[in-house]
Amino acid sequence: MLMAHSAVLGKTLQQYEILRELNAEEGTPEARRRLDDVAYSLCIATGTNDIDAALVAARHRLPGARPHDDSLLTARRAR
């Protein structure tokens, strides 16, 4: 599987988080489309097929992620 460079992955993750903070899913068709595009890019970059898994995988692969990071456990409990 191809792996996204950490700089690209970090920027894409940041774009997704900003769009979510701006409530893009409730915005204009353009904003929703952009959020969907960025979510799709995260899924492709992380080899996942759902945005929640992509977010966990992206955060885990970024520089500074701790080996004992429990974000996987948190994501599972949130469902």
Side-chain angles (χ1 to χ4, degrees):
M1 174 174 78
L2 292 175
M3 302 293 268
H5 188 277
S6 61
V8 173
L9 188 58
K11 185 174 181 175
T12 307
L13 180 59
Q14 182 182 33
Q15 288 176 3
Y16 181 82
E17 290 171 344
I18 289 170
L19 288 166
R20 286 298 307 254
E21 286 178 25
L22 294 174
N23 206 20
E25 66 270 7
E26 301 297 325
T28 65
E30 246 179 41
R32 288 192 304 267
R33 191 173 320 109
R34 181 67 185 140
L35 180 64
D36 289 344
D37 289 347
V38 173
Y40 178 77
S41 295
L42 279 171
C43 288
I44 295 299
T46 58
T48 60
N49 60 2
D50 120 349
I51 188 59
D52 293 326
L55 292 171
V56 170
R59 289 180 183 126
H60 196 67
R61 287 198 354 225
L62 288 176
R66 297 172 299 173
H68 59 279
D69 186 0
D70 64 351
S71 60
L72 292 173
L73 299 174
T74 305
R76 184 169 287 220
R77 275 188 247 137
R79 290 180 188 226

